[in-house]
Amino acid sequence: MAKKVLTVDDDPDVRLFTTTVLEENGYMPVEAGNGEEGLQMIQSEKPDLIILDVLMPRQSGIRLYRELRTNKSLAKVKVIILSGIAKKTFLRSQQALTEFGETAVPEPDFYLEKPVDADVLAETIKKAIG
Amino acid sequence: MTQILLIDDEPDILRVLARSLRADGYEVFTAGSGIDGITEFERVHAKIVLTDIKMPGMDGIEVLKRIKGMDADAEVIIITGHGDIGNAIEALHFGASDFINKPVRDDALTIALKRAEEKIDIRRRLKEYTHDLEGKIEIATRELRRRTNFLDKLIRSSNDGIVATDEHFQIVVFNPGAERIFGYMQEEIIHRRNLPELLSEELAGTVQRAMAAHRSFRELPWREASIASKSGERIPVMFSGSILYEGDQKLGAVAFFQDLREIKRLQRELVHSERLAAVGQTVAGLAHGIKNILHGLKGGSYLVDLGIAKKDDEKLGKGWEMIKRAIGRTSNLVMDLLSYSKERDPQFESCSPNEIAAEVCDLVRERAEQERTELISEFDASIGSVRMDPHTLHTVLLNLVSNAMDACLFDENTSKKWRVCVRTAAEPRNQIRFEVSDNGMGMNDEVKEKMFTSFYSTKGHRGTGLGLLVTHKLVEEHGGRIEVDTQLGIGTTVSVWLPFREEESGA
């Protein structure tokens, strides 16, 4: 059975891009338009991989990523961050939250800065879940 | 008790006088001859000596001379024979205090002693006074020295250059601060050089005019200037000076110099680094916006390629739409950039602010419904048609309302019932207040600080980071002002005051 990949981004064009790449490479895409919705989908759809944007309404990718990495049942799920935000900035935000007393979380498995070519995205997905 | 030494060769007189004086409260010593008198005086140092003038051996005049030789302050009263005025005058000449005639009458003696005692008392008081005065002078001198030292140290340790001159401008004080600025040692300057020689022509002229002027002109306020150091380097300084007076008398001049080299250097560095930071921020902000748009373009062209390769019209269509949206966003970004970077004079036209506000609300109403945000408008009906720039008003309000809706959209507290409220209100002095409030996420201090000054976005692909910069600029160009009240997690209210002109009469 095809592996299930959840893409979480508030920009419908980005979702369309990602889901098309997924379909073309034989994965089964599901999508969510914000962090809150994303979290529900993770629980209901149990995806193998999550492709996550950072700046989103309702719940930011920074928050959602922490949820993923501090929740034992979800800790195994692979994550690709796909964002206009630089990796450095993302890590700094995580570190700031840790300094405020929250649990430290590991760096994301993969980090892609927009803009990303379709083949790079496809390769990264393949590296993550085969 | 006052001591009296009685000298007389007649024992009876000696005895009677001694008894009488003791009865009057004196301590009395006696001697029966001149030479015994001197010996006794050496022993007791009586304050008052009463001596007969005619005595065998050493006479009274000799006794007087000897005693005065030993103690000039001793009061010597001479007892003379009746009518012996010549001797009496001689005695006075040698320093006798007084003379009384024989036979010694009590009242005459009392008066003479009293005078002698008064003289002793006056002398004692004079001595005390003199002594006291010396003490006071010493204290004053010490204090003066202390203050002089203090002032001297103060001048020496001052970081500022201090140069003081006499009334002919010859330099008398040249402190280490001045040495550092001018590059001369004080030995080269003090009593050798005049102040104007160290200054630029213009500065020298100022100082000379101040010295020549009427006394009301005595302070030269702080100003920036530059001086040439010994090595010829032009050194930027803050300069101030003052003409020194004592009463109406000109004493000289003092000039103060603050070295501005370090400050100037820091200022240059600051300007440079601020410019770099501004450029960096602009580039980073722009880059973020462009990266999101490029991603859209890549996605669009990927779909178009797929559509062509597979002859899939649906993909082709969707891809083309993506590309068109990316073009639209590029155009918005560029227009924002242009309107931010270009000066624009507001065009005052006849318009109705309430209508413009209503138009803006209509534009976002559909979005508000989708995002479950209630849109409320409260317009002041007293506002009619006025002259202001409708483009400014429309752009500003649309920006603020979109921001308010984003603040709700990005709010992580999903238990809230979000609302955005747009108000207009007529204000005094031909101004209208436009207020846009929301109960969304609010801002922290960092965001609030950056909101009007930096190319900064917290909104991913939704923000170019330019909206509030443009808003702020438009409001300023229109002569208005903007205020923000925000609380993290509670919401934000932005108020904009824009001035308007009355409709032209007859229009």
Side-chain angles (χ1 to χ4, degrees):
Chain A
M1 202 178 93
K3 288 191 172 156
K4 198 185 271 182
V5 179
L6 171 65
T7 172
V8 189
D9 200 304
D10 62 320
D11 185 344
D13 283 354
V14 176
R15 293 203 302 271
L16 180 57
F17 182 13
T18 307
T19 51
T20 309
V21 170
L22 288 167
E23 277 166 4
E24 289 300 312
N25 289 278
Y27 300 99
M28 184 186 161
V30 281
E31 50 185 292
N34 60 52
E36 193 186 29
E37 210 181 303
L39 194 61
Q40 288 166 10
M41 299 280 281
I42 291 164
Q43 268 141 5
S44 60
E45 299 286 332
K46 309 225 172 326
D48 301 285
L49 170 70
I50 300 162
I51 301 176
L52 184 59
D53 185 23
V54 175
L55 293 179
M56 285 182 298
R58 295 294 169 253
Q59 191 181 37
S60 74
I62 293 169
R63 272 276 152 223
L64 183 55
Y65 182 74
R66 294 191 81 83
E67 296 253 8
L68 282 174
R69 284 301 170 250
T70 50
N71 184 330
K72 275 222 171 78
S73 63
L74 301 174
K76 289 266 158 31
V77 186
K78 297 280 184 199
V79 175
I80 298 172
I81 303 280
L82 173 62
S83 173
I85 293 282
K87 185 178 183 183
K88 208 171 55 182
T89 313
F90 175 81
L91 293 179
R92 212 165 43 221
S93 308
Q94 293 292 3
Q95 202 195 338
L97 287 174
T98 306
E99 278 164 11
F100 272 107
E102 299 196 12
T103 323
V105 291
E107 281 191 26
D109 308 302
F110 301 94
Y111 200 107
L112 295 175
E113 264 180 55
K114 292 172 187 171
V116 174
D117 283 320
D119 46 358
V120 173
L121 182 58
E123 265 169 45
T124 311
I125 297 166
K126 201 166 181 191
K127 262 192 234 163
I129 52 170
Chain B
M1 202 192 282
T2 308
Q3 294 171 331
I4 295 183
L5 173 59
L6 274 177
I7 308 169
D8 202 314
D9 59 326
E10 289 173 54
D12 288 346
I13 291 181
L14 211 53
R15 203 172 56 244
V16 171
L17 271 178
R19 188 184 301 150
S20 156
L21 288 170
R22 282 193 185 108
D24 284 347
Y26 294 100
E27 190 182 351
V28 183
F29 302 91
T30 56
S33 67
I35 194 79
D36 285 354
I38 298 301
T39 313
E40 192 64 3
F41 184 81
E42 282 173 340
R43 192 176 69 83
V44 300
H45 279 287
K47 289 260 180 275
I48 300 175
V49 178
L50 206 58
T51 179
D52 191 14
I53 197 159
K54 285 216 171 85
M55 289 183 290
M58 188 185 291
D59 70 358
I61 297 291
E62 187 59 25
V63 169
L64 168 65
K65 286 188 203 161
R66 295 273 193 97
I67 284 176
K68 281 285 178 187
M70 282 188 274
D71 180 2
D73 287 348
E75 295 293 331
V76 181
I77 300 168
I78 303 292
I79 305 171
T80 63
H82 182 67
D84 194 1
I85 207 79
N87 273 328
I89 287 170
E90 192 189 0
L92 289 178
H93 179 71
F94 286 115
S97 334
D98 212 342
F99 62 90
I100 47 178
N101 288 324
K102 268 189 177 171
V104 177
R105 284 177 20 236
D106 271 359
D107 52 352
L109 183 59
T110 306
I111 289 169
L113 286 175
K114 202 171 172 186
R115 257 192 244 150
E117 278 188 297
E118 277 171 0
K119 275 162 82 180
I120 289 170
D121 191 47
I122 286 170
R123 205 158 36 232
R124 179 185 58 78
R125 292 217 308 259
L126 194 67
K127 204 167 179 177
E128 272 173 16
Y129 180 72
T130 311
H131 186 74
D132 202 33
L133 204 63
E134 278 167 1
K136 279 183 174 151
I137 288 172
E138 201 187 311
I139 290 168
T141 310
R142 259 206 312 271
E143 177 66 5
L144 198 64
R145 193 174 300 127
R146 201 179 63 78
R147 285 195 198 181
T148 311
N149 271 340
F150 178 74
L151 286 179
D152 193 49
K153 289 206 169 103
L154 202 65
I155 290 171
R156 287 193 65 77
S157 60
S158 165
N159 227 354
D160 291 357
I162 300 177
V163 181
T165 77
D166 62 14
E167 71 273 33
H168 306 298
F169 281 124
Q170 189 170 84
I171 292 170
V172 293
V173 171
F174 194 78
N175 78 337
E179 289 182 340
R180 282 193 293 275
I181 293 172
F182 286 91
Y184 291 102
M185 301 309 291
Q186 63 171 21
E187 296 77 21
E188 299 174 81
I189 293 290
I190 290 181
H191 299 307
R192 289 166 187 263
R193 299 289 293 270
N194 288 336
L195 177 62
E197 295 168 21
L198 295 182
L199 304 178
S200 67
E201 220 170 275
E202 187 264 337
L203 212 53
T206 310
V207 175
Q208 279 160 334
R209 276 195 300 283
M211 183 70 94
H214 184 259
R215 64 165 303 192
S216 61
F217 180 54
R218 56 204 304 178
E219 300 286 335
L220 300 169
W222 284 104
R223 48 174 282 200
E224 267 195 47
S226 75
I227 57 105
S229 73
K230 188 183 182 185
S231 63
E233 187 190 350
R234 293 223 69 81
I235 293 174
V237 291
M238 282 299 277
F239 163 84
S240 94
S242 177
I243 305 301
L244 304 175
Y245 281 86
E246 190 173 75
D248 283 336
Q249 181 82 32
K250 281 181 178 126
L251 289 180
V254 62
F256 303 95
F257 301 88
Q258 287 172 351
D259 192 340
L260 293 184
R261 277 174 292 189
E262 184 65 8
I263 290 171
K264 290 273 174 197
R265 192 182 63 75
L266 287 175
Q267 274 174 348
R268 274 197 302 275
E269 266 180 22
L270 191 66
V271 167
H272 185 64
S273 62
E274 272 177 356
R275 192 179 299 139
L276 277 184
V279 169
Q281 250 169 21
T282 309
V283 169
L286 255 185
H288 182 248
I290 292 170
K291 276 156 77 182
N292 273 312
I293 293 170
L294 272 179
H295 191 71
L297 280 172
K298 288 207 186 227
S301 49
Y302 172 68
L303 260 76
V304 168
D305 284 345
L306 274 181
I308 293 169
K310 300 189 168 179
K311 304 214 181 320
D312 180 340
D313 280 354
E314 199 197 332
K315 280 205 167 52
L316 193 64
K318 280 181 177 170
W320 183 234
E321 289 302 320
M322 274 171 82
I323 290 174
K324 284 201 281 193
R325 278 193 290 275
I327 292 170
R329 277 158 67 183
T330 310
S331 152
N332 284 342
L333 177 63
V334 172
M335 295 315 282
D336 268 358
L337 258 183
L338 281 180
S339 63
Y340 179 60
S341 59
K342 227 172 38 190
E343 302 266 321
R344 177 180 173 276
D345 288 330
Q347 307 293 311
F348 283 81
E349 288 169 25
S350 175
C351 62
S352 163
N354 282 348
E355 272 175 30
I356 294 174
E359 277 169 29
V360 168
C361 289
D362 286 343
L363 278 177
V364 297
R365 197 170 306 283
E366 196 186 324
R367 186 190 150 191
E369 277 164 20
Q370 278 171 11
E371 292 172 1
R372 307 190 304 272
T373 299
E374 188 190 359
L375 186 63
I376 305 163
S377 48
E378 290 174 8
F379 299 152
D380 183 341
S382 74
I383 301 170
S385 183
V386 297
R387 292 178 71 79
M388 58 169 36
D389 185 348
H391 167 79
T392 295
L393 183 53
H394 190 274
T395 312
V396 166
L397 280 180
L398 187 56
N399 259 324
L400 294 181
V401 173
S402 308
N403 280 345
M405 295 190 28
D406 286 342
C408 295
L409 185 62
F410 278 76
D411 191 2
E412 295 188 357
N413 177 358
T414 51
S415 65
K416 272 189 204 165
K417 185 173 173 0
W418 293 291
R419 80 194 139 62
V420 169
C421 184
V422 183
R423 289 191 186 85
T424 64
E427 297 265 312
R429 292 190 301 280
N430 281 5
Q431 292 198 85
I432 298 173
R433 179 166 57 91
F434 301 90
E435 184 190 285
V436 178
S437 59
D438 66 71
N439 64 342
M441 66 191 293
M443 283 178 270
N444 62 24
D445 289 346
E446 188 199 351
V447 177
K448 195 184 171 190
E449 193 187 311
K450 286 182 176 171
M451 63 187 292
F452 290 127
T453 53
S454 302
F455 207 133
Y456 181 76
S457 176
T458 57
K459 298 192 292 203
H461 77 276
R462 284 162 204 273
T464 58
L466 276 165
L468 279 174
L469 289 183
V470 171
T471 302
H472 192 239
K473 174 178 172 282
L474 285 174
V475 169
E476 290 217 318
E477 281 172 348
H478 203 284
R481 67 190 168 92
I482 191 161
E483 272 179 23
V484 179
D485 184 19
T486 182
Q487 231 180 321
L488 195 61
I490 304 291
T492 301
T493 298
V494 182
S495 306
V496 172
W497 284 260
L498 288 178
F500 62 83
R501 295 175 189 167
E502 299 283 1
E503 285 285 15
E504 275 154 32
S505 54

